[in-house]
C-alpha cells in the first residue's frame, strides 16, 4: 500500500471520529444547560464560550457578547471555518475518495450519504431550531460508519490503519472535552456554593463522552472529579477512555509491523511507554494538578500522531 493512501485512511478515521465528538458536545452542552441546577451553567454565553473553547477557538474577550447563531454556524456548517463539522465531513469523504479501491462499497456509500446529509442541511434551520436534529443525525451516522468499518472490511492492515486514526482522535477529543469541562467547572465553581468536586459539569462531561450510564453502573454513585477522571482516563474497560484508546492503537500498530514493537525508535515503543505510565498512575496524582496532566497527555498524543505519520505515512 502506498504511504499516501495509508495516510488517507488514517485521516479518514480521524475526521469521522472528530465530527461525532464535536456534534455531541454541541448537543449535550446546549440542551443540558436547560436542566442545569445553577444560573451560571444555564447562561447561554457560558455555553457558547464552552463550545468555542472545546473546538480550540476560545473567545478571549470576556466582555464580548457572543451571538448564538454565529457561534453555532461557525462550529456546525461554516465552510470557511476549519474546525466546523461540515469541513471535517468533507475531509473524511475526500480521504475516502483517495482510498476508494481499498474500502468496501458499503462503507463508501455510508460516507457519501453522510457527506450529502451535512452538505444539504439548511444552515438557517440549523442555527434556529435544527441543532438537536443535526447533531443527533451526525452522531448516528458516525456510529453507522464505525459499524461499516468493523463489519464490511477485512481486519487486516487497512482496518488497523483506520482504527488507529479513530482511536488516536478519540483519545484526543476526550481529553479536549475533559479540558473544556474542567475549565467550565472552575468558572462555575462559585455557583455551586461548595466545591468543584460536585460540579454539574462532571455529569455533562460524561454525557459528552457518551459514558454517563457506564460510569453510574461502574461506581453506583453520583459523578465527582475523582470518579469521572478516573473512569475517562485510566479505566481500560471503558471504550471511551484514554487508556482504552491507547491499548487499541497499540494492538493495531503491531499488525502493521509486529517485529519492531520493542524497538525504542518506533511508534509502538512510544505508545507502550505512554500506556505503561498511565497504567500505574493513581488518579490522586492527576487530581493534584489536572491542568498540567491535560497538557502532558495532549502533548503525548500529538507526539504519537506525528511519529506515526513519519514512520508509516511519510511520502
Amino acid at each position: 500500500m502506498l504511504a499516501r493512501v495509508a495516510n488517507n485512511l488514517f485521516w479518514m478515521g480521524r475526521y469521522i471520529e472528530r465530527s461525532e465528538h464535536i456534534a455531541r458536545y454541541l448537543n449535550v452542552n446546549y440542551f443540558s444547560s436547560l436542566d442545569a441546577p445553577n444560573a451560571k451553567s444555564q447562561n447561554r454565553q457560558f455555553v457558547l464560550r464552552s463550545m468555542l473553547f472545546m473546538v480550540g477557538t476560545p473567545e478571549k474577550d470576556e466582555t464580548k457578547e457572543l451571538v448564538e447563531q454565529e457561534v453555532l454556524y461557525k462550529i456546525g456548517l461554516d465552510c470557511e471555518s476549519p474546525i466546523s463539522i461540515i469541513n471535517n465531513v468533507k475531509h473524511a469523504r475526500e480521504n475516502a475518495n483517495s482510498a476508494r479501491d481499498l474500502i468496501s462499497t458499503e462503507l463508501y456509500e455510508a460516507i457519501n450519504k453522510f457527506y450529502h446529509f451535512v452538505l444539504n442541511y439548511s444552515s438557517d434551520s440549523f442555527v434556529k431550531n435544527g441543532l438537536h436534529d443535526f447533531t443527533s443525525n451526525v452522531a448516528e451516522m458516525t456510529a453507522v460508519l464505525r459499524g461499516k468499518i468493523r463489519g464490511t472490511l477485512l481486519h487486516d492492515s487497512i482496518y488497523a490503519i483506520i482504527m488507529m486514526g479513530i482511536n488516536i482522535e478519540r483519545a484526543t477529543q476526550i481529553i479536549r472535552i475533559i479540558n473544556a469541562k474542567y475549565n467550565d467547572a472552575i468558572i462555575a465553581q462559585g455557583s455551586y456554593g461548595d466545591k468543584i468536586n460536585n460540579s454539574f459539569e462532571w455529569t455533562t462531561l460524561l454525557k459528552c463522552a457518551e459514558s454517563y450510564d457506564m460510569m453510574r453502573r461502574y461506581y453506583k454513585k453520583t459523578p465527582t472529579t475523582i470518579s469521572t477522571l478516573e473512569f475517562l482516563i485510566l479505566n481500560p474497560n471503558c471504550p471511551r477512555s484514554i487508556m482504552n484508546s491507547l491499548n487499541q492503537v497499540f494492538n493495531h500498530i503491531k499488525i502493521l509491523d509486529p517485529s519492531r514493537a520493542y524497538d525504542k525508535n518506533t511508534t509502538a515503543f512510544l505508545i507502550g511507554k505512554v500506556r505503561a505510565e498511565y497504567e500505574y498512575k493513581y488518579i490522586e496524582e492527576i487530581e493534584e494538578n489536572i491542568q498540567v496532566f491535560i497538557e502532558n497527555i495532549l502533548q503525548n498524543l500529538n507526539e504519537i500522531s506525528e511519529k506515526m505519520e513519519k514512520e508509516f505515512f511519510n511520502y
Side-chain angles (χ1 to χ4, degrees):
M1 186 192 313
L2 294 174
R4 173 180 53 79
V5 178
N7 188 60
N8 290 331
L9 291 170
F10 176 76
W11 278 100
M12 182 189 77
R14 292 200 68 161
Y15 285 124
I16 290 170
E17 191 73 10
R18 189 178 300 176
S19 301
E20 182 203 9
H21 281 82
I22 294 174
R24 186 178 296 107
Y25 195 86
L26 293 183
N27 186 307
V28 171
N29 274 276
Y30 190 93
F31 294 104
S32 290
S33 67
L34 303 177
D35 300 320
N38 60 82
K40 188 68 175 179
S41 292
Q42 288 180 325
N43 184 286
R44 193 47 49 84
Q45 290 295 307
F46 177 82
V47 173
L48 296 175
R49 289 176 187 278
S50 177
M51 292 175 178
L52 291 172
F53 188 93
M54 184 268 172
V55 296
T57 57
E59 176 54 58
K60 296 179 181 179
D61 185 357
E62 296 181 2
T63 63
K64 181 179 178 180
E65 186 79 9
L66 299 176
V67 179
E68 180 176 319
Q69 286 81 3
E70 291 179 0
V71 172
L72 294 180
Y73 179 69
K74 177 181 180 181
I75 302 175
L77 292 174
D78 186 358
C79 293
E80 302 300 319
S81 172
I83 50 87
S84 67
I85 292 172
I86 191 170
N87 268 328
N88 280 299
V89 177
K90 281 183 176 180
H91 293 324
R93 183 175 181 262
E94 287 169 3
N95 281 286
N97 283 335
S98 300
R100 178 69 185 84
D101 294 338
L102 296 178
I103 61 176
S104 66
T105 301
E106 294 86 354
L107 174 57
Y108 182 78
E109 288 177 349
I111 293 173
N112 213 34
K113 181 180 179 181
F114 185 25
Y115 167 76
H116 285 290
F117 167 78
V118 174
L119 188 68
N120 295 320
Y121 204 91
S122 168
S123 57
D124 288 338
S125 297
F126 171 66
V127 299
K128 290 178 182 177
N129 54 19
L131 179 64
H132 184 271
D133 175 69
F134 177 79
T135 54
S136 296
N137 272 286
V138 169
E140 288 173 9
M141 287 182 173
T142 51
V144 168
L145 289 177
R146 282 197 299 272
K148 297 293 185 184
I149 291 167
R150 285 192 299 268
T152 67
L153 296 178
L154 289 172
H155 287 207
D156 54 11
S157 58
I158 294 169
Y159 174 80
I161 291 169
I162 296 172
M163 292 306 296
M164 279 162 49
I166 286 175
N167 282 287
I168 278 287
E169 189 62 36
R170 179 175 299 174
T172 302
Q173 291 302 317
I174 290 296
I175 201 65
R176 289 182 69 88
I177 291 172
I178 290 173
N179 190 28
K181 299 315 293 179
Y182 176 68
N183 182 66
D184 287 352
I186 291 174
I187 295 171
Q189 187 173 0
S191 303
Y192 298 97
D194 54 2
K195 298 179 180 178
I196 194 175
N197 184 51
N198 299 315
S199 174
F200 175 72
E201 303 305 330
W202 303 129
T203 297
T204 311
L205 165 57
L206 287 163
K207 290 180 179 179
C208 287
E210 209 173 27
S211 302
Y212 181 73
D213 288 344
M214 284 191 289
M215 188 272 181
R216 288 298 300 266
R217 291 190 180 98
Y218 187 82
Y219 287 102
K220 296 180 174 62
K221 62 180 181 181
T222 303
T224 63
T225 310
I226 286 279
S227 60
T228 301
L229 295 180
E230 185 174 54
F231 192 66
L232 286 180
I233 295 173
L234 301 180
N235 192 315
N237 295 318
C238 171
R240 297 281 178 172
S241 72
I242 307 296
M243 193 67 200
N244 183 278
S245 295
L246 289 173
N247 288 340
Q248 293 295 323
V249 173
F250 186 71
N251 292 334
H252 289 305
I253 206 167
K254 286 194 296 184
I255 294 174
L256 300 183
D257 195 355
S259 63
R260 301 181 65 207
Y262 301 102
D263 183 339
K264 66 180 182 180
N265 295 316
T266 63
T267 310
F269 185 87
L270 176 59
I271 296 170
K273 185 178 178 182
V274 174
R275 284 171 66 240
E277 178 186 349
Y278 298 137
E279 186 176 1
Y280 296 103
K281 187 177 286 292
Y282 292 110
I283 193 62
E284 288 78 10
E285 297 177 71
I286 296 174
E287 191 190 26
E288 289 175 2
N289 199 329
I290 296 173
Q291 196 60 52
V292 169
F293 174 80
I294 288 171
E295 291 171 3
N296 287 340
I297 199 167
L298 278 172
Q299 183 177 345
N300 286 335
L301 290 170
N302 188 52
E303 287 177 3
I304 289 170
S305 181
E306 288 182 354
K307 195 169 185 65
M308 189 182 295
E309 291 195 62
K310 287 179 182 178
E311 183 174 350
F312 296 105
F313 313 133
N314 196 15
Y315 59 92

